[in-house]
Amino acid sequence: AAEEGGPCSLSKMAGADGDDSLYPIAVLIDELRNEDVQLRLNSIKKLSTIALALGVERTRTELLPFLTDTIYDEDEVLLALAEQLGNFTMLVGGPEYVHCLLPPLESLATVEETVVRDKAVESLRKISQEHSPVDLEVHFEPLVKRLASGDWFTSRTSACGLFSVCYPRVSSTVKAEIRQHFRTLCSDDTPMVRRAAASKLGEFAKVLELDYVKSDIISLFTALASDEQDSVRLLAVEACVSIATLLPQEDLETLVMPTLRQAAEDKSWRVRYMVADKFSELQKAVGPEITKNDLVPAFQNLLKDCEAEVRAAAANKVKEFCENLPEDNREQIIMTHILPCVKELVSDTNQHVKSALASVIMGLSTILGKDNTIEHLLPLFLAQLKDECPEVRLNIISNLDCVNEVIGIRQLSQSLLPAIVELAEDAKWRVRLAIIEYMPLLAGQLGVEFFDEKLNTLCMAWLIDHVYAIREAATCNLMKLVEKFGAEWAQNTIVPKVLGMANDPNYLHRMTTLFCINALSEACGQEITTKQMLPVVLKMSNDQVANVRFNVAKSLQKIGPVLDSNALQTEVKPVLEKLATDTDMDVKYFAQEAISLLCIFFSIRPNLLCLLNTSQMLYFPNSIYPASMPFCTVCCLQQHRLNWSNK
C-alpha cells in the first residue's frame, strides 16, 4: 500500500498542507484498499469528494491511475466505481480531459461480472458524448477496437454497445472499420458475443446510412435470425422492428418479411414468444398492406400456438393489434379472422392465457360497436365472468367501463349484472367471497346511482350470510364503499340498514351490527357516530347474550377516540362501569380493558396534542389531550396500546 501511487501516498498528499479539514479525505483514500469490503465500497461511493479535495490535476495523474491498477476487487465495489466514473468529467478538468477516464472504464468493461460490464459500458456511452470529434477518433475509437478484438468474450460483448455512439461522429474511413468490426462480432464463435451483437443490431442500424443498412445490416439480420442459438434468434426479432422502420415500404417485402415469417414459425417457442410480444410494434413498422396480407395469418397462428406462453403473449396484444388494422376493412378482418381465435381462447386450458385475454378483450367493444358487442362479445364476457380463475373475473370487472360506454348501463345491467348477482348468491362461499372483494371496484365503475339501484341490497344481504368469512368481508366491503361514496351517502343509505340489524333475533347478526359500526365509525366521522351509532351500541349493552355484551365493550373501546368528550363522560363511561360488574367473566374482562384504555379520555377537554421530544414533534389532531400533558403520560398511553398512527 505504501508503493508510489498507492493510497498511502495519496493520503499523505491530501494532508500535506497540514490542514485538519483534509483529514477525512485522507481517511477515505486509505480505505480504498482496506481489507473490509464495506469500507472500500463506502470510499468508492465518495470518490467525487476525494477527487474534489485532490483537485483536477492530481485526480488525473494520481487517483485515476491508482483506480485503474486496483480493478481486481469485489463486484459490488467495481459496480460502484463504474457508476461513479460516468459522472467524473468535470472532476478531471472538463471535456478536454475526459479521455483520462477511459483506461479504468476499459478495464471495468472486461471483467467477468455482467452487471459491472454493463455499468461500465453505460458510463462509456455517457462520456463519449463529451469527447470532441478529434478526441473521439484519437482516444475513444481505439478503445472500441481493442475491446472488439479482445481475447476474452467479455471485452467483445462490451464493444457491441459502443459502436453506435461513436459511428455518427467519425470519418468515413473509421466508419468502414467500425462496420467491419461489427460484422466480425455478429459471426463470433461465442454465442454470448453474437447475443450482444444481436441486441445492439437495431440500435446500430439507426445510425447507419440507408445504403449500408441495405447492404450490411440486412445480411447480418438474416444470419442472426437463422443462428443455431434461439437466444440469438429472439434478439434478432427485436432488431427487426428498428430495421423495418428505416426501410422504404417497397423494400420491406423482399428484405425483411421472409425472415419475419420464418421467425413467426420458428421451432423454438421463445422466438415465437418474442414475435408475439413485439407484434404491435412490427405491425406499425411494416404498414397496413403487409399487415393485411402477412401479419393477420401470422397472428392467427400465434393465437393458436401449442405453447401457452406464446398464446398468452399474443392474447395480450389482441386489442392493440385490432386497433392498428386498416380502418377500411378492420371490422371484417376482426370478425372473420381474429374473433374465432378469441372465442377459443376464452375456454383455454391455461389460466394465464385466459387472464391475458380478459385484460384486453373488453377493449374490442369500442372497436366493433354496439351491435357486434351485444351479439358476439357479451357471451364471451359472461363466460369469463363465470371463470373459475379469480384473476380472469377481476380483469373483466375491472374493465366494465369500456363496455358501458358502448352499450349503455341499461344493456349492461340486463346482460352482465345478472351473472354477477348469480355469482354473488352462489352456493360455494368462496365464489361469493370473490365477488365481495370485487364489489368496491365494480361500484366505482358503475357509479353511486346505479349501485344503489342494483347492488345495494346484495351488499346488505351478505351481512347476514351464514358463513362468518362472508359477513366479515361484507363489513370490510361497506367500509370501502363509504370511503368511495362519502359519509353523506353512508348516512342515508347504509347506516340505517346496519343499525336496523341490532334488533335481529339472531345474535350473530346483532354482532355484525357492532362489527360494522367498528369499521364505519372513523369513515363516517364524529357526528354520525355520536348521534346515530352510539345510542344503538349503548342499548345493546343490555343484550341477553354475553357475546354481544362483550363486543359492545370492544366497540366502545374502538369508537371512543372518534366520540366527543361529553359523550364519553356522560354516556360511555357509565355503561362500561356497569359492564365491568357483569356476571360473565368475558364481559367483565373486556369492559375493564376498555376502561383502562379510555380512562385518559374521560373528563379531559378536546385539544390538539403537541408532544415534543428531543428528536421530533408529534401531532395528534382530533385527540382530547391538553398541550401541557407530560411526555411520560404518552409513554403510558403507548403501553396501553393506543393506536396513534391512525389518529
Side-chain angles (χ1 to χ4, degrees), residues 379-625:
L380 304 182
F381 300 159
L382 285 169
Q384 292 193 298
L385 197 55
K386 297 178 181 179
D387 195 273
E388 60 183 11
C389 176
E391 192 174 347
V392 175
R393 299 195 299 266
L394 176 60
N395 285 341
I396 291 294
I397 292 175
S398 301
N399 294 286
L400 276 179
D401 56 335
C402 298
V403 184
N404 186 18
E405 292 173 7
V406 177
I407 66 174
I409 195 68
R410 291 300 163 190
Q411 181 66 45
L412 187 67
S413 65
Q414 294 170 13
S415 54
L416 293 184
L417 283 184
I420 294 175
V421 173
E422 182 183 340
L423 289 171
E425 298 171 345
D426 195 273
K428 297 177 181 177
W429 69 268
R430 285 184 174 83
V431 176
R432 301 198 299 277
L433 183 63
I435 292 298
I436 295 174
E437 291 170 352
Y438 303 146
M439 194 53 65
L441 180 63
L442 190 60
Q445 298 271 336
L446 300 176
V448 62
E449 292 182 7
F450 187 85
F451 179 83
D452 284 344
E453 180 185 346
K454 298 291 183 181
L455 298 175
N456 196 326
T457 305
L458 189 62
C459 289
M460 299 309 299
W462 283 325
L463 292 173
I464 56 174
D465 195 279
H466 66 278
V467 177
Y468 172 74
I470 299 297
R471 299 196 300 273
E472 182 183 37
T475 302
C476 296
N477 173 54
L478 287 186
M479 180 180 68
K480 292 175 183 176
L481 290 173
V482 172
E483 291 172 352
K484 190 176 289 289
F485 292 147
E488 185 179 348
W489 172 81
Q491 184 177 12
N492 298 328
T493 309
I494 296 295
V495 173
K497 295 178 181 178
V498 168
L499 299 182
M501 292 168 54
N503 300 316
D504 195 288
N506 190 326
Y507 84 96
L508 294 174
H509 300 166
R510 299 199 297 276
M511 285 171 59
T512 302
T513 299
L514 295 172
F515 299 151
C516 289
I517 290 173
N518 294 345
L520 298 177
S521 59
E522 192 170 344
C524 289
Q526 186 181 86
E527 184 178 354
I528 296 175
T529 303
T530 304
K531 293 182 178 179
Q532 293 184 253
M533 297 182 184
L534 180 60
V536 174
V537 177
L538 297 176
K539 181 181 177 183
M540 294 176 71
S541 65
N542 298 316
D543 198 281
Q544 294 180 346
V545 179
N547 287 35
V548 176
R549 295 200 301 277
F550 78 63
N551 273 289
V552 167
K554 293 170 74 174
S555 292
L556 290 174
Q557 174 187 321
K558 174 71 176 177
I559 68 175
V562 181
L563 303 172
D564 60 57
S565 59
N566 183 56
L568 281 167
Q569 181 67 25
T570 60
E571 299 182 68
V572 174
K573 185 178 179 183
V575 170
L576 285 176
E577 289 174 344
K578 185 188 76 170
L579 291 174
T581 61
D582 196 276
T583 55
D584 187 272
M585 294 299 294
D586 291 329
V587 177
K588 188 183 299 185
Y589 169 78
F590 286 110
Q592 290 172 349
E593 185 181 62
I595 291 172
S596 67
L597 291 173
L598 294 175
C599 64
I600 196 68
F601 288 89
F602 300 138
S603 303
I604 301 179
R605 65 180 174 83
N607 206 339
L608 173 69
L609 176 61
C610 300
L611 299 174
L612 179 64
N613 64 13
T614 56
S615 62
Q616 61 183 338
M617 180 76 77
L618 302 176
Y619 291 95
F620 296 93
N622 300 325
S623 85
I624 57 173
Y625 300 101

Side-chain angles (χ1 to χ4, degrees), residues 181-477:
H181 278 295
F182 191 80
R183 279 196 296 270
T184 302
L185 294 181
C186 285
S187 57
D188 195 275
D189 293 337
T190 309
M192 285 81 82
V193 178
R194 298 201 302 277
R195 262 203 307 272
S199 68
K200 299 298 179 182
L201 182 64
E203 180 184 289
F204 189 51
K206 289 179 181 178
V207 300
L208 257 63
E209 299 82 358
L210 182 59
D211 289 342
Y212 292 121
V213 171
K214 293 180 180 180
S215 61
D216 289 15
I217 295 297
I218 293 299
S219 59
L220 296 177
F221 166 61
T222 304
L224 291 170
S226 305
D227 195 274
E228 61 182 15
Q229 297 284 332
D230 62 355
S231 59
V232 177
R233 298 200 301 276
L234 65 87
L235 290 170
V237 172
E238 197 168 346
C240 180
V241 177
S242 300
I243 295 170
T245 57
L246 299 172
L247 294 172
Q249 192 69 30
E250 59 271 15
D251 291 329
L252 288 173
E253 180 59 44
T254 55
L255 299 180
V256 174
M257 288 312 298
T259 307
L260 183 56
R261 293 189 197 101
Q262 173 187 317
E265 299 174 354
D266 197 277
K267 61 183 179 181
S268 170
W269 70 267
R270 292 178 179 85
V271 179
R272 301 197 304 275
Y273 173 89
M274 182 60 76
V275 174
D277 189 54
K278 299 291 178 183
F279 213 85
S280 299
E281 297 168 54
L282 289 167
Q283 181 186 11
K284 293 175 184 176
V286 300
E289 196 61 35
I290 293 179
T291 293
K292 185 170 61 176
N293 297 332
D294 288 280
L295 294 194
V296 170
F299 193 61
Q300 284 180 282
N301 291 334
L302 292 171
L303 289 172
K304 298 176 181 178
D305 198 273
C306 59
E307 291 291 340
E309 288 84 353
V310 179
R311 295 199 303 277
N316 205 35
K317 299 292 179 182
V318 164
K319 177 192 171 187
E320 202 172 345
F321 178 77
C322 293
E323 283 177 335
N324 295 329
L325 287 170
E327 288 188 19
D328 56 345
N329 54 1
R330 176 190 296 164
E331 184 178 322
Q332 183 264 329
I333 292 174
I334 295 173
M335 298 301 295
T336 307
H337 301 287
I338 305 302
L339 198 58
C341 299
V342 169
K343 289 179 179 178
E344 292 180 16
L345 293 181
V346 167
S347 55
D348 197 275
T349 54
N350 187 283
Q351 70 178 43
H352 299 295
V353 176
K354 292 186 290 185
S355 178
L357 180 65
S359 66
V360 298
I361 191 174
M362 308 292 269
L364 293 179
S365 57
T366 56
I367 301 172
L368 291 177
K370 183 175 181 178
D371 293 338
N372 284 326
T373 297
I374 294 172
E375 183 179 353
H376 298 286
L377 295 181
L378 277 182
L380 304 182
F381 300 159
L382 285 169
Q384 292 193 298
L385 197 55
K386 297 178 181 179
D387 195 273
E388 60 183 11
C389 176
E391 192 174 347
V392 175
R393 299 195 299 266
L394 176 60
N395 285 341
I396 291 294
I397 292 175
S398 301
N399 294 286
L400 276 179
D401 56 335
C402 298
V403 184
N404 186 18
E405 292 173 7
V406 177
I407 66 174
I409 195 68
R410 291 300 163 190
Q411 181 66 45
L412 187 67
S413 65
Q414 294 170 13
S415 54
L416 293 184
L417 283 184
I420 294 175
V421 173
E422 182 183 340
L423 289 171
E425 298 171 345
D426 195 273
K428 297 177 181 177
W429 69 268
R430 285 184 174 83
V431 176
R432 301 198 299 277
L433 183 63
I435 292 298
I436 295 174
E437 291 170 352
Y438 303 146
M439 194 53 65
L441 180 63
L442 190 60
Q445 298 271 336
L446 300 176
V448 62
E449 292 182 7
F450 187 85
F451 179 83
D452 284 344
E453 180 185 346
K454 298 291 183 181
L455 298 175
N456 196 326
T457 305
L458 189 62
C459 289
M460 299 309 299
W462 283 325
L463 292 173
I464 56 174
D465 195 279
H466 66 278
V467 177
Y468 172 74
I470 299 297
R471 299 196 300 273
E472 182 183 37
T475 302
C476 296
N477 173 54

